[in-house]
Amino acid sequence: MRDVGSVYLAWSALFICTIVLYWSGFWAYEGVIIVNYAQIWMLLLPTLLAILVAFTITPSSAEPSFTFRTYYEENRKLIFFCWALFILGAAVADVVMLKSIDLEGALPAGVIIGILVACGLTKNIWVHCIALVILFTLMLLVPVALGFKETLDFFSGA
């Protein structure tokens, strides 16, 4: 499991899944009337953080000596800490926009944030592989388990 390139590719795919779930979650805001700046900022902040993660996770080097391992190890803290901030921002946005606290949704968000911070703090590839399995499972099963009808309708085309 020394091939960091495949781990890097898996993190990139997971981030794309995260973005799709984030944007499909906007269906929950369908009836929300925006009346203050806090709501506007809560729509913008997670999106801006997602853009930052996308730029950080994407290498821009075309040098012959470039390796995914080096890029991944040098930028992991920025990638994972910003990703964790994105998840936190999205969770806070739900509270601000919907004016309610959903403890069932807060627990998975807390677990995801904890896993991302742990990945930012370690270079151990096995930790990253285990985290990937857990997070892919959460990204696929949590929307079903929590009954995100809007997300399921979005993916099924209903």
Side-chain angles (χ1 to χ4, degrees), residues 52-80:
L52 178 64
V53 174
F55 277 118
T56 307
I57 207 167
T58 307
S60 60
S61 177
E63 298 175 14
S65 63
F66 172 82
T67 63
F68 281 115
R69 174 184 286 278
T70 305
Y71 182 83
Y72 185 72
E73 288 177 355
E74 289 175 357
N75 294 295
R76 76 182 192 293
K77 286 183 181 179
L78 185 60
I79 292 168
F80 291 110

Tab-separated table of all heavy atoms in Angstrom, residues 52-80:
chain	number	residue	atom	x	y	z
A	52	LEU	N	-11.576	26.399	-1.894
A	52	LEU	CA	-10.215	26.361	-1.356
A	52	LEU	C	-9.694	24.932	-1.285
A	52	LEU	O	-8.554	24.656	-1.672
A	52	LEU	CB	-10.179	27.016	0.024
A	52	LEU	CG	-8.840	27.007	0.738
A	52	LEU	CD1	-7.814	27.836	-0.033
A	52	LEU	CD2	-8.994	27.553	2.154
A	53	VAL	N	-10.518	24.009	-0.820
A	53	VAL	CA	-10.098	22.607	-0.760
A	53	VAL	C	-9.842	22.075	-2.167
A	53	VAL	O	-8.848	21.379	-2.406
A	53	VAL	CB	-11.153	21.740	-0.033
A	53	VAL	CG1	-10.770	20.261	-0.096
A	53	VAL	CG2	-11.315	22.176	1.408
A	54	ALA	N	-10.700	22.416	-3.114
A	54	ALA	CA	-10.516	21.943	-4.488
A	54	ALA	C	-9.194	22.437	-5.071
A	54	ALA	O	-8.481	21.672	-5.727
A	54	ALA	CB	-11.682	22.408	-5.357
A	55	PHE	N	-8.855	23.707	-4.823
A	55	PHE	CA	-7.574	24.216	-5.307
A	55	PHE	C	-6.404	23.566	-4.588
A	55	PHE	O	-5.374	23.278	-5.200
A	55	PHE	CB	-7.491	25.741	-5.141
A	55	PHE	CG	-8.154	26.505	-6.250
A	55	PHE	CD1	-9.215	27.336	-5.989
A	55	PHE	CD2	-7.707	26.377	-7.554
A	55	PHE	CE1	-9.831	28.041	-7.011
A	55	PHE	CE2	-8.312	27.081	-8.584
A	55	PHE	CZ	-9.382	27.910	-8.312
A	56	THR	N	-6.560	23.308	-3.312
A	56	THR	CA	-5.474	22.723	-2.535
A	56	THR	C	-5.252	21.255	-2.883
A	56	THR	O	-4.114	20.796	-2.945
A	56	THR	CB	-5.775	22.843	-1.022
A	56	THR	OG1	-6.070	24.203	-0.725
A	56	THR	CG2	-4.600	22.405	-0.191
A	57	ILE	N	-6.319	20.542	-3.140
A	57	ILE	CA	-6.202	19.108	-3.410
A	57	ILE	C	-5.716	18.830	-4.838
A	57	ILE	O	-5.266	17.729	-5.151
A	57	ILE	CB	-7.545	18.394	-3.138
A	57	ILE	CG1	-7.323	16.931	-2.754
A	57	ILE	CG2	-8.505	18.516	-4.294
A	57	ILE	CD1	-8.541	16.261	-2.189
A	58	THR	N	-5.770	19.855	-5.694
A	58	THR	CA	-5.371	19.697	-7.089
A	58	THR	C	-3.936	20.161	-7.296
A	58	THR	O	-3.636	21.337	-7.121
A	58	THR	CB	-6.303	20.518	-8.007
A	58	THR	OG1	-7.650	20.157	-7.726
A	58	THR	CG2	-5.985	20.267	-9.461
A	59	PRO	N	-3.032	19.274	-7.674
A	59	PRO	CA	-1.644	19.694	-7.900
A	59	PRO	C	-1.529	20.571	-9.150
A	59	PRO	O	-2.268	20.389	-10.109
A	59	PRO	CB	-0.890	18.392	-8.083
A	59	PRO	CG	-1.902	17.383	-8.447
A	59	PRO	CD	-3.215	17.847	-7.902
A	60	SER	N	-0.605	21.504	-9.097
A	60	SER	CA	-0.414	22.386	-10.251
A	60	SER	C	0.976	22.232	-10.856
A	60	SER	O	1.342	22.994	-11.738
A	60	SER	CB	-0.621	23.840	-9.822
A	60	SER	OG	0.304	24.184	-8.822
A	61	SER	N	1.720	21.250	-10.417
A	61	SER	CA	3.089	21.077	-10.884
A	61	SER	C	3.137	20.117	-12.070
A	61	SER	O	2.477	19.084	-12.077
A	61	SER	CB	3.961	20.532	-9.759
A	61	SER	OG	5.258	20.308	-10.234
A	62	ALA	N	3.926	20.485	-13.053
A	62	ALA	CA	4.146	19.602	-14.197
A	62	ALA	C	5.619	19.213	-14.284
A	62	ALA	O	6.082	18.773	-15.318
A	62	ALA	CB	3.699	20.296	-15.470
A	63	GLU	N	6.345	19.403	-13.198
A	63	GLU	CA	7.772	19.083	-13.188
A	63	GLU	C	7.973	17.568	-13.298
A	63	GLU	O	7.179	16.792	-12.772
A	63	GLU	CB	8.401	19.570	-11.879
A	63	GLU	CG	8.321	21.069	-11.681
A	63	GLU	CD	8.849	21.479	-10.309
A	63	GLU	OE1	9.492	20.653	-9.646
A	63	GLU	OE2	8.589	22.620	-9.929
A	64	PRO	N	9.036	17.136	-13.938
A	64	PRO	CA	9.300	15.701	-14.052
A	64	PRO	C	9.540	15.041	-12.694
A	64	PRO	O	9.290	13.859	-12.535
A	64	PRO	CB	10.562	15.622	-14.912
A	64	PRO	CG	10.714	16.955	-15.541
A	64	PRO	CD	9.978	17.946	-14.701
A	65	SER	N	10.013	15.795	-11.732
A	65	SER	CA	10.297	15.220	-10.415
A	65	SER	C	9.059	15.188	-9.518
A	65	SER	O	9.129	14.735	-8.380
A	65	SER	CB	11.407	16.026	-9.733
A	65	SER	OG	10.968	17.355	-9.507
A	66	PHE	N	7.919	15.649	-10.021
A	66	PHE	CA	6.692	15.692	-9.233
A	66	PHE	C	6.214	14.289	-8.888
A	66	PHE	O	6.180	13.408	-9.741
A	66	PHE	CB	5.590	16.431	-9.997
A	66	PHE	CG	4.243	16.357	-9.337
A	66	PHE	CD1	3.935	17.212	-8.305
A	66	PHE	CD2	3.312	15.418	-9.737
A	66	PHE	CE1	2.698	17.143	-7.694
A	66	PHE	CE2	2.079	15.342	-9.126
A	66	PHE	CZ	1.771	16.209	-8.101
A	67	THR	N	5.831	14.096	-7.635
A	67	THR	CA	5.203	12.843	-7.215
A	67	THR	C	4.001	13.181	-6.343
A	67	THR	O	3.994	14.179	-5.625
A	67	THR	CB	6.154	11.945	-6.400
A	67	THR	OG1	6.506	12.613	-5.193
A	67	THR	CG2	7.405	11.596	-7.195
A	68	PHE	N	2.975	12.342	-6.434
A	68	PHE	CA	1.802	12.537	-5.593
A	68	PHE	C	2.159	12.402	-4.116
A	68	PHE	O	1.606	13.088	-3.278
A	68	PHE	CB	0.705	11.538	-5.948
A	68	PHE	CG	-0.068	11.920	-7.163
A	68	PHE	CD1	-0.025	11.138	-8.299
A	68	PHE	CD2	-0.849	13.065	-7.176
A	68	PHE	CE1	-0.744	11.487	-9.425
A	68	PHE	CE2	-1.572	13.429	-8.292
A	68	PHE	CZ	-1.516	12.631	-9.425
A	69	ARG	N	3.083	11.503	-3.824
A	69	ARG	CA	3.478	11.298	-2.421
A	69	ARG	C	3.985	12.598	-1.807
A	69	ARG	O	3.539	12.994	-0.733
A	69	ARG	CB	4.554	10.218	-2.303
A	69	ARG	CG	5.101	10.073	-0.877
A	69	ARG	CD	6.228	9.068	-0.804
A	69	ARG	NE	5.750	7.714	-0.906
A	69	ARG	CZ	5.250	7.015	0.108
A	69	ARG	NH1	5.155	7.549	1.294
A	69	ARG	NH2	4.851	5.781	-0.064
A	70	THR	N	4.898	13.268	-2.499
A	70	THR	CA	5.456	14.517	-1.977
A	70	THR	C	4.373	15.587	-1.846
A	70	THR	O	4.263	16.240	-0.817
A	70	THR	CB	6.578	15.032	-2.908
A	70	THR	OG1	7.533	13.999	-3.070
A	70	THR	CG2	7.241	16.262	-2.336
A	71	TYR	N	3.580	15.741	-2.889
A	71	TYR	CA	2.525	16.757	-2.859
A	71	TYR	C	1.542	16.480	-1.730
A	71	TYR	O	1.159	17.372	-0.980
A	71	TYR	CB	1.787	16.796	-4.201
A	71	TYR	CG	0.718	17.858	-4.228
A	71	TYR	CD1	1.043	19.179	-4.507
A	71	TYR	CD2	-0.602	17.558	-3.932
A	71	TYR	CE1	0.085	20.162	-4.507
A	71	TYR	CE2	-1.567	18.528	-3.928
A	71	TYR	CZ	-1.227	19.837	-4.211
A	71	TYR	OH	-2.185	20.807	-4.195
A	72	TYR	N	1.137	15.218	-1.622
A	72	TYR	CA	0.158	14.807	-0.621
A	72	TYR	C	0.678	15.045	0.796
A	72	TYR	O	-0.027	15.582	1.637
A	72	TYR	CB	-0.148	13.330	-0.859
A	72	TYR	CG	-1.224	12.741	0.005
A	72	TYR	CD1	-2.555	13.066	-0.196
A	72	TYR	CD2	-0.909	11.826	0.998
A	72	TYR	CE1	-3.541	12.502	0.576
A	72	TYR	CE2	-1.897	11.246	1.762
A	72	TYR	CZ	-3.209	11.595	1.551
A	72	TYR	OH	-4.174	11.040	2.322
A	73	GLU	N	1.934	14.665	1.042
A	73	GLU	CA	2.498	14.834	2.379
A	73	GLU	C	2.727	16.297	2.734
A	73	GLU	O	2.548	16.697	3.875
A	73	GLU	CB	3.798	14.037	2.505
A	73	GLU	CG	3.551	12.539	2.556
A	73	GLU	CD	4.830	11.724	2.611
A	73	GLU	OE1	5.927	12.312	2.506
A	73	GLU	OE2	4.724	10.499	2.753
A	74	GLU	N	3.117	17.115	1.750
A	74	GLU	CA	3.376	18.528	2.013
A	74	GLU	C	2.093	19.330	2.239
A	74	GLU	O	2.105	20.316	2.963
A	74	GLU	CB	4.152	19.158	0.854
A	74	GLU	CG	5.585	18.710	0.764
A	74	GLU	CD	6.291	19.252	-0.461
A	74	GLU	OE1	5.652	19.937	-1.291
A	74	GLU	OE2	7.500	18.985	-0.594
A	75	ASN	N	0.995	18.917	1.622
A	75	ASN	CA	-0.232	19.707	1.667
A	75	ASN	C	-1.359	19.075	2.474
A	75	ASN	O	-2.456	19.622	2.508
A	75	ASN	CB	-0.720	19.972	0.240
A	75	ASN	CG	0.240	20.846	-0.511
A	75	ASN	OD1	0.439	21.993	-0.162
A	75	ASN	ND2	0.862	20.285	-1.534
A	76	ARG	N	-1.112	17.952	3.117
A	76	ARG	CA	-2.192	17.249	3.801
A	76	ARG	C	-2.851	18.073	4.888
A	76	ARG	O	-4.072	18.042	5.035
A	76	ARG	CB	-1.722	15.903	4.330
A	76	ARG	CG	-0.885	15.969	5.563
A	76	ARG	CD	-0.393	14.619	6.041
A	76	ARG	NE	0.161	14.730	7.360
A	76	ARG	CZ	1.268	15.403	7.651
A	76	ARG	NH1	1.937	16.018	6.712
A	76	ARG	NH2	1.709	15.460	8.886
A	77	LYS	N	-2.086	18.836	5.660
A	77	LYS	CA	-2.696	19.626	6.736
A	77	LYS	C	-3.669	20.649	6.175
A	77	LYS	O	-4.798	20.766	6.648
A	77	LYS	CB	-1.620	20.321	7.576
A	77	LYS	CG	-0.877	19.382	8.477
A	77	LYS	CD	0.122	20.107	9.346
A	77	LYS	CE	0.863	19.097	10.205
A	77	LYS	NZ	1.866	19.733	11.048
A	78	LEU	N	-3.240	21.377	5.166
A	78	LEU	CA	-4.107	22.393	4.569
A	78	LEU	C	-5.345	21.757	3.941
A	78	LEU	O	-6.467	22.243	4.120
A	78	LEU	CB	-3.330	23.201	3.528
A	78	LEU	CG	-4.061	24.375	2.904
A	78	LEU	CD1	-4.478	25.394	3.961
A	78	LEU	CD2	-3.202	25.040	1.860
A	79	ILE	N	-5.153	20.656	3.238
A	79	ILE	CA	-6.285	19.965	2.600
A	79	ILE	C	-7.305	19.525	3.642
A	79	ILE	O	-8.488	19.859	3.559
A	79	ILE	CB	-5.799	18.742	1.782
A	79	ILE	CG1	-4.986	19.186	0.580
A	79	ILE	CG2	-6.980	17.868	1.346
A	79	ILE	CD1	-4.236	18.058	-0.122
A	80	PHE	N	-6.861	18.784	4.635
A	80	PHE	CA	-7.797	18.188	5.580
A	80	PHE	C	-8.367	19.181	6.580
A	80	PHE	O	-9.535	19.072	6.962
A	80	PHE	CB	-7.149	16.992	6.286
A	80	PHE	CG	-6.926	15.839	5.354
A	80	PHE	CD1	-5.647	15.478	4.974
A	80	PHE	CD2	-7.984	15.130	4.822
A	80	PHE	CE1	-5.432	14.422	4.096
A	80	PHE	CE2	-7.784	14.078	3.948
A	80	PHE	CZ	-6.501	13.726	3.583
